[in-house]
Amino acid sequence: MGQTVRTLAYGAWPSPIDAALAAAHDGHPEWVGLVGDEVWWTEPRPEEGGRRTLVRRHHQEVGRQAPRWRGGGGRRPGGTEESLLPAPWDVRSRVIEYGGRPWAALAREDGPLVVFVNFADQRLYRYRPGGTPRPLTPVSPVGAGLRWAEPLLRPERDEVWCVLEEFTGDGPSDVRRVLAAVPLDGSAARDRGAVRELTDGRHRFLTGAKLSPDGRRAAWLAWDHPRMPWDGTELILADAGSDGTLRDPRTVAGGPGESVAQADWTHDGRLLHSSDRSGWWNLYLDGEPVCPREEEFGGALWKLGMRWFTPLDSGLIAVVHGRGATALGVLDPETGEVVDAAGPWTEFAPDLAAHGERVVAVAASPRSAYEVVELDAGTGHARVVGAGHDDAVDPAYYPEPQIRVFTGPDGRDIHAHVYPPHHPGCVAPGDELPPYVVWAHGGPTARAPLVLDLEIAYFTSRGIGVAEVNYGGSTGYGRSYRERLREQWGVVDVEDCAAVARALADEGTADRDRLAVRGGSAGGWTAAASLTTTDVFSCGTIKYPILDLEGWGAGETHDFESRYLDSLIGPLDEVPARYAERSPAAHADRLAVPFLLLQGLDDVICPPVQCERFLARLGERPVPHAYLAFEGEGHGFRRAETMVRALEAELSLYARVFGLNPPDVPTLELTR
């Protein structure tokens, strides 16, 4: 017997997707790898203080019972998943604050040898499953200490090679970065002098080294202020001596106006890299284009160790590629042909690993959260092998997204995902238009992927629409689209979000009087700028934002992004007035609509002082608002209780402003 459909106002639809459920499914598997026959990855634990554990899928003999796979066409391989490290161990690096690959492992007859970075102290540890982790690196009393990323195990030298980030003072920019070799015997655990430096620190930033198959050459990426890695990087090649040194480093590709996103070696020792010299991140083999297309085979290097491609032993190359959404394919460098993996996934993260013809990736779709997927490059068969998606509620409550292209100022394209209100058992009165929230992604050099997000479902299943805007400056659409934001941050992003909101209202999709904007980090900036410079939105949610450019650009943030504003706004010493003109904090007196401000008190990227200064400049003006600050949270919330409180507060804001009546949601008290 079919479900009875009820007519209820938008925002009053009862939903099984509550804030606790959304929080429990926040985050996704990351940093996949193959250790012998086993697939390993890191996985979030929101209910355990937001830590990340290292997960191992034990191999199981064929013929043993395997669980059914949601995808409908196959089964997961046999095996069981094991969390290797109990709380409070947290496998996460803080290099450049956004982190990097935090673990490496080798299969051995007596069990795997593992090294990993622990978040709390940022020390590198050696670990054998079943044993106790042993520190390999010391604690430094200087500044933020010593940090490590992209470990490369070199058992033949009894070393692990890493990126070392070393603070030399108390300031966020008192830091140097080098490639370094750490002894595996633990002799450096109390002796910084036992860490052997492999590079001279001439570059401000660098990625981990990739060794050629014969071990005689090493390649890595480097760049310097004021560039960000998507502006311009250098591909550096050096000779690797038998004594464990790196000699004669030289730049072989890249430069100030060319971004090399990744480099690696083919099975026969040829250097492969992705570069956007053509306007798109494409692949180059020994400097020659492999598959020239107007789509991306690379992306913005926000974390050290991101991988959009991985060479296979057969000579083929596994690639994550696309224009907007991404696919997993196998590229034949001889013909330039790419054959994509079949399956239900519509988005692949830049997180690949391979052994032989086995490729492991992290993938999702609008009907499934991110899960670990294995592709057999020989047969083309793909299947879920870990962190498999299980429907926590009836999928009938999931949103049904639309891929849209809107027209912005000057006729420019604006890419967006529109998620209309959706509920299997509810409709709104025929004459009512739904409220909509425009989501501005962070970065801003990033992109909103088209994947199942229970935070979006939390709103759409209650009758509130969501529109994710990949505004000008977003990745995935070529360098020219990305550079629309050059010196135009706070203008183009704001215009594009407003244009999408207006278009939804003009076409009768959204209620013009019930539009909101929300975003976190750079998206928080866009949300705040939208509220202070446009009259499109009736309220907004601003999460861990940038609000005052002058303060943020003059030392209030971390080293990695400390010169980001040179390209987004312009150099501070050349256009100081622009910093004040664009800052939401400078225009707090224009704010006339309610807002919610959410902030982590341990955030060193967008520190709490940004919010505090904004509220101080708001003064005694009677603008309804709430400021929720969370102890123990940094940039981006990871603890389940924080995410629940933030999500319920956001819904309560919309209920107050839009006149909604959501059931069972705590009331947010607004200050005037």
Side-chain angles (χ1 to χ4, degrees):
M1 191 170 179
Q3 182 177 9
T4 300
V5 176
R6 293 189 289 168
T7 300
L8 293 172
Y10 288 116
W13 300 351
S15 173
I17 303 171
D18 61 15
L21 185 68
H25 290 79
D26 188 78
H28 59 78
E30 194 177 22
W31 306 122
V32 295
L34 283 157
V35 183
D37 289 333
E38 298 178 348
V39 181
W40 293 29
W41 63 91
T42 66
E43 193 170 284
R45 294 288 186 265
E47 71 285 358
E48 297 178 17
R51 77 181 187 99
R52 294 192 73 92
T53 188
L54 185 59
V55 177
R56 168 190 193 183
R57 170 164 278 280
H58 290 276
H59 181 70
Q60 196 172 30
E61 294 300 323
V62 176
R64 298 281 296 278
Q65 181 64 36
R68 288 189 61 82
W69 171 38
R70 164 206 50 79
R75 292 177 177 267
R76 297 187 186 127
T80 57
E81 294 178 13
E82 175 192 5
S83 175
L84 285 171
L85 293 159
W89 295 105
D90 187 352
V91 185
R92 184 155 53 102
S93 169
R94 284 189 62 180
V95 165
I96 66 169
E97 292 302 340
Y98 291 105
R101 186 173 183 88
W103 71 275
L106 288 176
R108 289 184 166 182
E109 289 186 3
D110 57 348
L113 168 64
V114 187
V115 295
F116 71 93
V117 179
N118 184 49
F119 181 75
D121 57 13
Q122 287 299 290
R123 299 174 84 181
L124 195 67
Y125 285 80
R126 175 174 176 157
Y127 174 62
R128 303 299 289 268
T132 301
R134 294 172 45 207
L136 296 178
T137 57
V139 174
S140 171
V142 179
L146 303 174
R147 300 173 175 180
W148 311 86
E150 286 202 82
L152 171 67
L153 280 163
R154 300 207 63 192
E156 74 282 4
R157 295 198 52 79
D158 201 33
E159 291 179 331
V160 54
W161 287 15
C162 304
V163 173
L164 163 61
E165 180 177 82
E166 180 173 25
F167 283 80
T168 58
D170 292 331
S173 293
D174 297 331
V175 62
R176 60 191 292 270
R177 298 175 185 89
V178 296
L179 295 176
V182 176
L184 283 171
D185 62 7
S187 58
R190 297 183 179 277
D191 180 10
R192 168 65 179 85
V195 175
R196 192 166 58 87
E197 296 191 8
L198 302 169
T199 57
D200 58 9
R202 73 175 68 177
H203 290 289
R204 189 73 170 188
F205 303 96
L206 76 172
T207 65
K210 292 289 184 181
L211 282 175
S212 60
D214 62 8
R216 296 181 178 179
R217 292 174 294 167
W220 65 91
L221 307 182
W223 67 98
D224 294 285
H225 284 320
R227 297 193 303 275
M228 298 299 286
W230 42 87
D231 297 323
T233 57
E234 298 176 27
L235 172 55
I236 296 178
L237 183 64
D239 299 321
S242 57
D243 58 352
T245 60
L246 297 176
R247 303 169 181 166
D248 188 26
R250 60 268 187 197
T251 298
V252 295
E258 177 185 347
S259 170
V260 178
Q262 184 191 337
D264 209 336
W265 299 91
T266 63
H267 72 294
D268 54 356
R270 302 171 72 189
L271 186 57
L272 180 67
H273 73 276
S274 61
S275 163
D276 71 349
R277 70 187 68 164
S278 70
W280 297 83
W281 274 299
N282 280 189
L283 294 184
Y284 295 81
L285 186 57
D286 285 341
E288 297 299 320
V290 173
C291 180
R293 294 186 182 185
E294 289 191 349
E295 60 178 87
E296 308 284 32
F297 290 77
L301 192 67
W302 280 102
K303 299 180 180 182
L304 304 187
M306 297 171 76
R307 294 177 64 84
W308 291 266
F309 65 84
T310 186
L312 308 179
D313 291 348
S314 62
L316 301 175
I317 306 165
V319 292
V320 169
H321 69 107
R323 187 168 183 158
T326 53
L328 173 63
V330 177
L331 166 64
D332 184 340
E334 299 300 321
T335 65
E337 181 184 11
V338 181
V339 178
D340 288 338
W345 311 284
T346 57
E347 188 76 34
F348 284 81
D351 192 359
L352 296 180
H355 180 71
E357 297 306 294
R358 296 174 65 198
V359 180
V360 181
V362 178
S365 80
R367 310 295 290 177
S368 59
Y370 283 102
E371 48 197 355
V372 181
V373 174
E374 180 180 286
L375 169 67
D376 184 323
T379 66
H381 178 64
R383 58 183 180 174
V384 176
V385 294
H389 172 81
D390 288 316
D391 293 315
V393 297
D394 186 340
Y397 290 92
Y398 293 164
E400 297 181 347
Q402 303 165 359
I403 301 174
R404 299 283 303 272
V405 180
F406 294 89
T407 301
D410 304 320
R412 65 179 182 248
D413 289 345
I414 306 169
H415 298 274
H417 307 144
V418 176
Y419 298 83
H422 177 74
H423 191 293
C426 292
V427 294
D431 59 349
E432 185 182 1
L433 291 175
Y436 259 80
V437 184
V438 170
W439 285 26
H441 64 70
T445 312
R447 178 176 61 87
L450 188 67
V451 301
L452 177 63
D453 183 339
L454 290 189
E455 278 202 11
I456 294 177
Y458 177 77
F459 292 105
T460 58
S461 62
R462 286 170 167 75
I464 302 172
V466 171
E468 289 185 309
V469 182
N470 283 318
Y471 47 79
S474 300
T475 56
Y477 307 99
R479 185 162 185 136
S480 61
Y481 193 89
R482 201 165 76 241
E483 293 199 334
R484 286 184 188 177
L485 213 55
R486 182 167 289 277
E487 299 193 3
Q488 295 297 310
W489 196 36
V491 178
V492 166
D493 51 324
V494 171
E495 290 177 345
D496 286 0
C497 287
V500 170
R502 289 192 184 102
L504 291 172
D506 289 345
E507 70 186 27
T509 297
D511 185 340
R512 189 181 305 275
D513 295 325
R514 296 194 293 178
L515 297 171
V517 62
R518 74 102 85 156
S521 189
W525 153 275
T526 301
S530 297
L531 295 179
T532 54
T533 61
T534 78
D535 59 359
V536 175
F537 303 103
S538 299
C539 63
T541 300
I542 304 165
K543 303 165 60 178
Y544 35 89
I546 300 166
L547 296 169
D548 173 21
L549 293 177
E550 291 176 284
W552 199 81
E556 285 182 358
T557 191
H558 63 140
D559 186 57
F560 176 59
E561 292 179 278
S562 62
R563 299 291 300 276
Y564 198 1
L565 298 183
D566 283 38
S567 60
L568 291 175
I569 304 295
L572 178 58
D573 58 350
E574 296 178 16
V575 290
R578 193 181 294 167
Y579 280 61
E581 176 189 341
R582 300 267 182 89
S583 292
H587 304 300
D589 60 326
R590 300 179 186 174
L591 194 57
V593 299
F595 66 93
L596 170 63
L597 196 55
L598 301 167
Q599 178 67 45
L601 292 177
D602 292 347
D603 193 341
V604 298
I605 296 173
C606 297
V609 67
Q610 289 273 310
C611 292
E612 294 160 5
R613 191 175 298 133
F614 181 76
L615 293 172
R617 291 177 182 174
L618 188 66
E620 299 300 319
R621 297 183 64 249
V623 179
H625 68 276
Y627 176 45
L628 303 182
F630 300 97
E631 292 185 4
E633 292 283 12
H635 195 65
F637 301 148
R638 290 182 169 84
R639 297 180 175 181
E641 60 271 23
T642 302
M643 292 184 278
V644 168
R645 179 75 176 102
L647 201 55
E648 290 181 340
E650 183 177 356
L651 178 58
S652 183
L653 172 72
Y654 304 148
R656 292 277 296 272
V657 175
F658 295 153
L660 311 179
N661 187 28
D664 303 323
V665 174
T667 299
L668 175 69
E669 296 299 327
L670 298 178
T671 300
R672 287 185 179 271

